[in-house]
Each structure stands twice: as C-alpha cells, then as structure tokens.
Amino acid sequence: MKLFTKLITAGCLFLAAGCQEPEAAEDMLYVRYFSAGKADAILLYTDESAVLIDTGLDGYASQILRELNRLGIDSLDAMILTHFDKDHIGSADEVLENISVGHVWVSDSPKDSDEYEDLMEALEQTGIHAEMVFGDERETFELDGITYTIDGPDEEEYEDNPSNNSSLIVSVQYGETSFLFMGDAQNDRIREYLEDDASSYDVLKVPYHGNYQKQLKNLIASVQPEIAVITCSSFEGGEEKTMNLLEENGVETFRTDKGSVLIASDGKNITADYN
C-alpha cells in the first residue's frame, strides 16, 4: 500500500494550508482541479511540462490564464477536451488565443453550440489541428517522465446521453502513482471502459460531477482509489448517494465547491489538500 498523507510540512510536497505552492519543484507532478462550479478545468504540470484537461465554462479562461502566469507557465504542451459540453470547452477558445498550445485532442461527437463554434474558429485561427480519439484507438504520449493515455469512445453514437458518453478518459502514470480522469462518462461509457481496463488508480476524478449512476459501484470497485475529486458546485453535482458510496469504500474525497484541490506526487507519495 502506498503512503498517503493529507499534508507534509517538512521536506513538503507543497506548502501548508493558507500558502500557495511555488513554481513546480524538480521531479514533482502537480495536479490542480480548479474550483470552477459544475465544470471541469484541470491543470497537470511539472517544472518542464503542462497539460490542461478541459477549460470550464465561458469566461473562466481568465482564472486559468492567471494561474498559468503565477506559475510561470508560458505554454501548454497539450490540451485535452474530453467532450464538447459547455462546462468543459467553454473557455477553450480564449485559452487557445492567449497561450501557445502544442497539441489538442478531442472526442468524436461534435455539438451544435456557440461554444463548439468558438472552439473551431479558435483552432482555425491558431493553425492547430485537433486530433480526434475514438474507437479502439488509444493515444499515448510522454512528457517529463509522465505517461498520458487517452481512451476514446467505442461507439460512433450512444443512444443515451451521447455527449457525456463520448467523453475521452485520460489516465496518467508518474512513477508508482496514477491518476484517472473520467470526464462526464455515464453508464454506457463507464461499462465499456471497465471491459478494456481493469487497472487500479490512486486518484479518481469522479465522472459527471459526482452525479450518482449505477456503474459508479463497479467503477469504484475496479479502480480502488485512495483519493477522489468531484468537480461540482454547491447546488449541482456531488450527490449524497455518491458521497456515501465513496465513504463506504474508504475513499478520501475532495469537492471543488469547497475550493480548488491541489494534488502533488513525487512518483511514490501523494498529498492532497485544498489550495
């Protein structure tokens, strides 16, 4: 069993509550889950790389860009947009227009919305070709010793909740520590993912903002996370039934309606707290 502590203060992975972490220390992976309401915006960074998973609602870009500037990050190696709902791509256009992005990966279920059109226009203006991940394909890349794997949806279209069920699912491995980001995957997508990947992960980004669904029991049983993060607001997401399920399985759970969550890994140990 890996050692999990909520906070380390001597030789710390990040600073004590009330202080902000400095620019990324060498050989450390930081994962910031922004407090963005019922929306996903997640930054993974080291002293040599930065990846953004989703961008929150329209208007949230200023928060993301402010954090990147504070950390001294002047470019993103990759942007992964799990699906095209407004609470995941709303600020993607503004981020693309204000910072250099190396690669963009997207799902295969386009959406008729202003946010989708704004994203397509920003990609065209910046000359970035977004790579689509779907079917049996898995896109894997490595940055600064961290392995990212993007799993695309198997079905061309889902009968139930087609946008959410087309979510890209991202797994991250750093040393002995691992993270799983489930986007807004709902029952069909969770079921098909578990058929292909029965791995356990140390940290789980709970799918669909912690709204309860039947496949969550199977997901928790398979992943066996030590830590879970729910991206929710005080009045949307984070259902009591989901919270109870996580508690019953001994999972330490953080909710972004209580503040941004910062997780740090040195490749062996993980710390997590609000920051």
Side-chain angles (χ1 to χ4, degrees):
M1 179 70 68
K2 300 183 183 69
L3 173 64
F4 285 82
T5 57
K6 191 169 183 181
L7 190 65
I8 296 176
T9 56
C12 61
L13 297 186
F14 55 84
L15 302 184
C19 299
Q20 292 182 319
E21 85 284 9
E23 293 183 8
E26 188 175 355
D27 299 326
M28 292 295 302
L29 167 64
Y30 299 91
V31 184
R32 175 172 293 284
Y33 304 75
F34 287 92
S35 180
K38 189 195 74 66
D40 278 18
I42 304 165
L43 176 67
L44 300 91
Y45 63 98
T46 68
D47 63 335
E48 296 287 345
S49 67
V51 173
L52 185 64
I53 301 177
D54 291 331
T55 64
L57 289 159
D58 185 26
Y60 197 73
S62 60
Q63 300 291 327
I64 296 171
L65 294 167
R66 186 178 301 120
E67 179 68 3
L68 293 173
N69 182 65
R70 185 182 73 82
L71 294 168
I73 297 171
D74 58 9
S75 65
L76 293 170
D77 294 277
M79 177 188 289
I80 302 169
L81 302 173
T82 58
H83 61 300
F84 295 115
D85 283 0
K86 63 182 181 180
D87 54 336
H88 292 255
I89 67 161
S91 286
D93 59 328
E94 192 173 347
V95 173
L96 286 164
E97 290 164 357
N98 283 278
I99 192 168
S100 173
V101 179
H103 294 86
V104 176
W105 280 277
V106 298
S107 185
D108 68 337
S109 183
K111 197 166 188 178
D112 184 13
S113 70
D114 290 341
E115 291 81 9
Y116 179 80
E117 294 300 324
D118 289 343
L119 169 61
M120 293 299 107
E121 183 177 341
L123 287 169
E124 183 176 358
Q125 289 179 352
T126 55
I128 297 174
H129 172 70
E131 294 187 46
M132 197 175 291
V133 185
F134 60 92
D136 294 331
E137 299 177 10
R138 282 192 174 187
E139 182 72 36
T140 299
F141 61 95
E142 186 172 316
L143 290 169
D144 201 21
I146 301 158
T147 301
Y148 294 81
T149 301
I150 308 172
D151 181 86
D154 291 350
E155 302 294 331
E156 290 186 8
E157 186 172 350
Y158 294 85
E159 183 175 346
D160 296 324
N161 308 299
S163 183
N164 286 345
N165 275 319
S166 71
S167 289
L168 301 180
I169 295 174
V170 184
S171 60
V172 173
Q173 185 77 36
Y174 180 51
E176 299 173 13
T177 63
S178 55
F179 299 75
L180 184 64
F181 304 88
M182 293 292 297
D184 273 2
Q186 293 192 243
N187 286 313
D188 290 344
R189 182 76 175 102
I190 296 171
R191 185 185 301 109
E192 72 177 25
Y193 182 76
L194 293 178
E195 289 174 356
D196 295 332
D197 191 328
S199 303
S200 61
Y201 292 90
D202 299 320
V203 182
L204 171 68
K205 202 291 291 189
V206 179
Y208 193 30
H209 310 289
N211 290 303
Y212 185 80
Q213 45 197 322
K214 291 181 179 179
Q215 283 295 321
L216 274 181
K217 288 185 178 180
N218 293 332
L219 179 66
I220 300 302
S222 177
V223 173
Q224 299 180 359
E226 295 279 350
I227 296 171
V229 180
I230 296 175
T231 54
C232 63
S233 72
S234 58
F235 56 90
E236 287 185 288
E239 287 187 25
E240 183 177 359
K241 198 169 182 180
T242 299
M243 298 297 295
N244 290 340
L245 175 63
L246 291 164
E247 184 178 358
E248 290 165 6
N249 283 273
V251 184
E252 184 178 12
T253 303
F254 295 84
R255 298 167 50 117
T256 59
D257 61 334
K258 297 181 178 181
S260 290
V261 178
L262 182 66
I263 297 182
S265 168
D266 63 4
K268 292 184 179 179
N269 304 313
I270 288 178
T271 64
D273 212 333
Y274 293 103
N275 183 278

